[in-house]
Amino acid sequence: MYKLFFHLVFTRMDPEAAHHLAFRWIRLAARIPVLRTFAAAALAPRYEELRTEALGLRMHGPFGLAAGFDKNAVAVDGMAMLGFDHVEIGTVTGEAQPGNPKKRLFRLVSDRALINRMGFNNDGSAAVAERLRTRTPVFRTVVGVNIGKTKTVPEAEAAADYVKSTERLARHADYLVVNVSSPNTPGLRNLQATEALRPLLTAVREAADRTVTDRRVPLLVKIAPDLADEDVDAVADLAAELGLDGIIATNTTITRDGLKSPAYLTSETGGLSGAPLKDRSLEVLRRLYARVGDRLVLIGVGGVENAEDAWQRILAGATLVQGYSAFVYEGPAYARAVHKGLAARLAASPYATLAEAVGADTRKAAA
């Protein structure tokens, strides 16, 4: 039903307008008690065998919503209603900003992909922090907060900008993510170089610790799939050295290899997400797990279209898995299908728990 609606309605709409329309429907449904109860019962069934502990947090399962969909923390309950086990909001910047000029979001239907150059459009860390502070949760879910650099802040002052967001948001975050990998903010990816990343991550960790004194806020870094293998290794080593809690692999890519969509779409600038990202994201994940093992929590994202993709991420080394672009194509039953398929794959596997399955294929390959 959704796929027919998508082809008849959404494909005729501007992608960003379609996103906002769907977003309004989700938020509205989550506000109506009877409707949200029935929706959650249908779309968010719980599988006891998928219960997951990661980052010191207990979750209903390993599958969450990646940052970018709910930039301003306005639909956390709506996304939990649809079955996502954790919701990563953002990317949030120190100051509010409108993002890049429209048109800035493009569907590549033939490739089951998206290109975006949104540019971190968001309400800013002060407004989002207040929204999270006053939020009354309807559904229990883990909320991650993804932070990035304000566009107008010079690269040399990036750490102070991240610290500002950390001081405002850390107390409201179940975990915190430093995003240095979006291709849509000039100079941002330069911060992935270890000489720039070390002081940045150190400053954010210190800010989180002095802001939140009654618990440790887990801190992760999100990296690009376009990093060279040796740079992936360097970030992994740095994250382990600094005592970070995890790495998210990966953000969107600037490559356009092997796409089937028309050139007028594939030539658009911005980050490519969705199915074409699958192989490289999985490759980076395997490399990270081979490097750090169980010392860090790895979150696999990029081209996760179905339960098999999620299962492959787990076997490669991901404790948690996230989706985004496939949600656009699969619709509201996306998370339910992933959970059902994961439960079936776990039951058919030699592993008693999901935790046993994490990294199993990567360990075998190294043996």
Side-chain angles (χ1 to χ4, degrees):
M1 179 67 76
Y2 172 79
K3 290 183 179 180
L4 178 62
F5 182 84
F6 175 83
H7 285 289
L8 291 179
V9 179
F10 280 162
T11 56
R12 300 170 187 265
M13 296 178 64
D14 172 79
E16 190 169 352
H19 169 84
H20 288 305
L21 177 62
F23 209 43
R24 283 196 294 272
W25 289 343
I26 293 168
R27 293 169 62 187
L28 177 62
R31 292 193 190 107
I32 303 173
V34 174
L35 182 57
R36 71 188 178 214
T37 299
F38 279 104
L43 300 173
R46 303 305 183 192
Y47 294 85
E48 186 174 349
E49 63 270 34
L50 297 183
R51 288 180 181 172
T52 300
E53 290 194 19
L55 303 170
L57 304 165
R58 293 182 178 180
M59 306 183 198
H60 293 299
F63 189 58
L65 181 70
F69 195 89
D70 186 4
K71 296 177 183 296
N72 293 307
V74 296
V76 173
D77 282 316
M79 305 319 296
M81 175 188 73
L82 296 182
F84 291 100
D85 301 312
H86 65 275
V87 177
E88 190 171 308
I89 64 105
T91 295
V92 183
T93 54
E95 302 300 329
Q97 56 186 28
N100 292 323
K102 298 178 182 179
K103 187 175 181 179
R104 54 193 182 181
L105 180 63
F106 308 87
R107 288 191 213 94
L108 282 64
V109 178
S110 300
D111 295 293
R112 292 179 62 81
L114 301 171
I115 290 175
N116 93 82
R117 51 172 180 264
M118 303 299 289
F120 290 168
N121 54 308
N122 73 105
D123 293 342
S125 57
V128 174
E130 179 62 15
R131 191 169 293 130
L132 289 170
R133 186 188 70 81
T134 58
R135 172 177 171 259
T136 302
V138 174
F139 298 103
R140 186 179 72 83
T141 193
V142 165
V143 179
V145 177
N146 184 301
I147 59 174
K149 183 181 81 69
T150 304
K151 184 176 182 179
T152 56
V153 169
E155 201 175 313
E157 299 173 19
D161 192 53
Y162 280 91
V163 164
K164 179 194 298 183
S165 293
T166 301
E167 291 173 341
R168 290 170 174 171
L169 290 161
R171 62 176 53 87
H172 309 298
D174 290 315
Y175 68 87
L176 197 64
V177 181
V178 170
N179 184 353
V180 287
S181 51
S182 169
N184 299 318
T185 296
L188 186 73
R189 287 191 168 194
N190 296 338
L191 299 175
Q192 292 179 111
T194 53
E195 60 270 19
L197 192 57
R198 180 187 299 275
L200 171 59
L201 293 175
T202 299
V204 171
R205 178 73 270 168
E206 291 173 351
D209 289 343
R210 67 172 175 266
T211 302
V212 184
T213 58
D214 59 340
R215 64 183 175 97
R216 175 185 166 87
V217 180
L219 179 63
L220 300 89
V221 62
K222 187 169 186 175
I223 64 172
D226 307 316
L227 286 176
D229 287 347
E230 56 269 25
D231 293 325
V232 173
D233 293 344
V235 172
D237 292 344
L238 178 63
E241 176 194 336
L242 295 179
L244 261 63
D245 299 274
I247 300 175
I248 301 181
T250 61
N251 212 318
T252 59
T253 181
I254 57 173
T255 64
R256 299 291 188 266
D257 298 337
L259 298 180
K260 296 175 287 187
S261 296
Y264 73 88
L265 284 173
T266 60
S267 61
E268 293 288 350
T269 59
L272 175 73
S273 62
L277 193 55
K278 186 178 305 187
D279 291 345
R280 177 56 182 167
S281 291
L282 186 56
E283 183 182 353
V284 171
L285 182 62
R286 288 191 181 111
R287 192 170 189 92
L288 287 169
Y289 188 80
R291 196 79 175 183
V292 302
D294 297 325
R295 289 181 292 164
L296 300 177
V297 170
L298 301 180
I299 301 180
V301 57
V304 179
E305 297 191 273
N306 49 45
E308 179 61 23
D309 292 333
W311 181 241
Q312 290 304 317
R313 294 303 195 283
I314 291 167
L315 294 176
T319 300
L320 301 176
V321 182
Q322 294 178 340
Y324 177 178
S325 297
F327 181 44
V328 173
Y329 292 101
E330 294 297 317
Y334 174 44
R336 182 186 66 185
V338 170
H339 285 116
K340 182 178 179 181
L342 277 178
R345 282 161 176 77
L346 178 61
S349 79
Y351 311 112
T353 65
L354 273 183
E356 285 185 23
V358 172
D361 280 2
T362 304
R363 291 194 299 272
K364 287 178 185 175

